[in-house]
Amino acid sequence: MTATASRSTASGETPEKTTTRPAAAGQRTVPGVFGSIPAELVADAAVEHPLTAGVPRRPGRWYWRDLIATLDPVADAAEIHRITSSYEFPWDYQRALELALYRTYCIPSVSAVLEAAGQFRDHPQKRYDDTALLMVELVEHGYDSPRGKEALRVINRQHARYDITNDDMLYVLSTFIYEPLEWIDANGWRRLHPNERLAAFHFYRAVGERMKITGIPGDIGEFRRWRDDYEARTMRYDRTNELIGTYTLDLMCSWYPEAVRPVVRRAVVSLIDDDMTRAFGFPRQPPVFRAAAYAALRARSKVVRWLPVRRRELGSRGTENKTYPGYPVGYRPADLGACPIQPRDRVAGCPVAHGPDGSPSGGVVA
């Protein structure tokens, strides 16, 4: 983000007014796994986010919540959401967003596009990492930062390759807002502050506007009612739902030793609600399994409640990334996705992509 920041922290200290600038301002490029990376895409967190740069030596357990209470949920939506998802609830947000994406696969028109694309079938880990990291780019650096703008170009380019309705895009956006809010209020170590709920709404609403999604409701309650109505009309069983759901479930199980994978599979299926279970065609789990899964989550939160305040964000560092090691200087957002962008600074001469025979291939670099 490029805006200046000058606000009082929860401890009563007022950080000096600071303007975001690239960390490597004196360098033209830095090396990366896939090619050189411009210095403007290598951010310094202390300069980019002055509100979280100076944490008191002995902050209270409610330090971040109290700081958030002093901020504006509209003007400071991006910063509030970053603190909530990267400092207060990084593990919860990652799990909740996984379930949010899982929920979207219960809409036949969504799962049909994903099945036709073939990424979940052929490269499930890469597809998962691309999605997770592109979203992390927006949260960690802001949608109007150099890295955030490049991430949005990648996202928009990927979506433009398929025939996706505006309503399906709007529905996916809604799950990014409401699934984490409901997950944390039910299973987190504390309930969310009203500013955190509103900030999540305004953050993703701004992201949706930059993705050219139309008809985004301007009220958090109105958007939730729209989402519920859309699910009532469209969430139903389809073979493509079952295929995408199974590919993703197999991927989640693959992260654990083979001996415990059957338990992981039952735990994941136990965490989804009855509507999702029916839409995927999965066997309904006994109530005792569901109760045990949620009891384990709440037991974890009781432990987290007594841990020290997190002083270092777990945005990109907390993302389980197996495809692109070396974050954040190992790659840039343009390197992500099924069809990566070839940035102009890596192309000499004509910005139109050419095939092996030298003829234009029809793609234009971003």
Side-chain angles (χ1 to χ4, degrees), residues 15-343:
E16 184 180 352
K17 189 174 182 180
T18 310
T19 304
T20 300
R21 57 172 173 75
Q27 304 176 20
R28 298 183 63 185
T29 61
V30 296
V33 175
F34 304 97
S36 61
I37 302 173
E40 69 170 357
L41 294 179
V42 182
D44 182 341
V47 176
E48 193 177 38
H49 302 295
L51 280 177
T52 55
V55 181
R57 290 181 61 86
R58 294 180 179 273
R61 186 65 180 98
W62 306 93
Y63 174 77
W64 292 121
R65 187 205 60 177
D66 292 344
L67 174 60
I68 287 168
T70 69
L71 303 179
D72 186 310
V74 179
D76 302 312
E79 196 70 349
I80 291 173
H81 185 62
R82 186 181 69 88
I83 294 171
T84 303
S85 60
S86 299
Y87 285 85
E88 288 285 69
F89 302 101
W91 186 88
D92 294 279
Y93 245 96
Q94 190 168 348
R95 301 289 82 77
L97 287 176
E98 288 169 355
L99 285 180
L101 285 170
Y102 213 35
R103 192 174 194 88
T104 67
Y105 310 155
C106 297
I107 308 298
S109 54
V110 173
S111 64
V113 171
L114 297 173
E115 174 61 15
Q119 290 295 309
F120 276 92
R121 179 184 63 249
D122 301 330
H123 308 287
Q125 185 66 60
K126 184 178 186 300
R127 177 62 168 75
Y128 172 88
D129 288 339
D130 287 340
T131 302
L133 289 172
L134 285 168
M135 297 311 300
V136 165
E137 291 288 343
L138 298 177
V139 173
E140 188 165 319
H141 302 291
Y143 37 70
D144 287 333
S145 70
R147 289 189 76 100
K149 289 179 179 178
E150 187 166 284
L152 281 166
R153 286 199 296 272
V154 174
I155 293 169
N156 289 336
R157 183 182 182 182
Q158 302 297 325
H159 289 161
R161 300 173 68 219
Y162 306 101
D163 185 16
I164 307 173
T165 68
N166 185 76
D167 277 358
D168 280 348
M169 295 279 283
L170 190 57
Y171 174 70
V172 173
L173 185 71
S174 75
T175 65
F176 289 171
I177 298 171
Y178 299 105
E179 291 301 307
L181 299 186
E182 293 170 6
W183 171 285
I184 292 172
D185 275 348
N187 307 305
W189 68 268
R190 66 166 173 84
R191 292 181 65 85
L192 291 166
H193 188 278
N195 284 3
E196 292 174 296
R197 302 180 65 84
L198 287 172
F201 167 73
H202 288 290
F203 174 82
Y204 281 109
R205 190 171 191 276
V207 169
E209 289 172 344
R210 286 158 177 78
M211 293 174 62
K212 309 303 181 186
I213 300 174
T214 61
I216 306 175
D219 176 78
I220 188 172
E222 180 186 355
F223 199 5
R224 175 55 197 267
R225 289 188 291 274
W226 181 92
R227 192 204 81 159
D228 291 346
D229 179 67
Y230 193 69
E231 285 189 349
R233 290 186 287 111
T234 61
M235 184 180 283
R236 64 182 184 277
Y237 172 78
D238 191 275
R239 176 58 178 165
T240 56
N241 296 2
E242 186 175 2
L243 288 172
I244 298 299
T246 302
Y247 298 150
T248 306
L249 186 56
D250 290 343
L251 172 65
M252 292 178 178
C253 292
S254 73
W255 300 334
Y256 300 88
E258 189 169 356
V260 300
R261 288 176 188 174
V263 177
V264 173
R265 182 177 294 271
R266 298 202 71 167
V268 173
V269 177
S270 295
L271 290 173
I272 64 177
D273 61 34
D274 290 341
D275 290 339
M276 293 176 66
T277 301
R278 286 190 292 268
F280 281 130
F282 289 165
R284 191 173 186 278
Q285 299 300 302
V288 66
F289 278 57
R290 183 169 296 180
Y294 279 100
L297 291 173
R298 292 172 183 135
R300 175 192 173 275
S301 292
K302 289 181 180 179
V303 174
V304 173
R305 184 183 180 91
W306 294 99
L307 295 180
V309 169
R310 188 178 300 282
R311 307 175 69 94
R312 185 184 184 192
E313 65 180 345
L314 279 183
S316 58
R317 286 176 289 274
T319 301
E320 297 165 1
N321 166 31
K322 302 179 186 297
T323 308
Y324 306 98
Y327 185 92
V329 296
Y331 70 89
R332 59 188 289 182
D335 295 322
L336 306 175
C339 185
I341 292 174
Q342 182 71 306

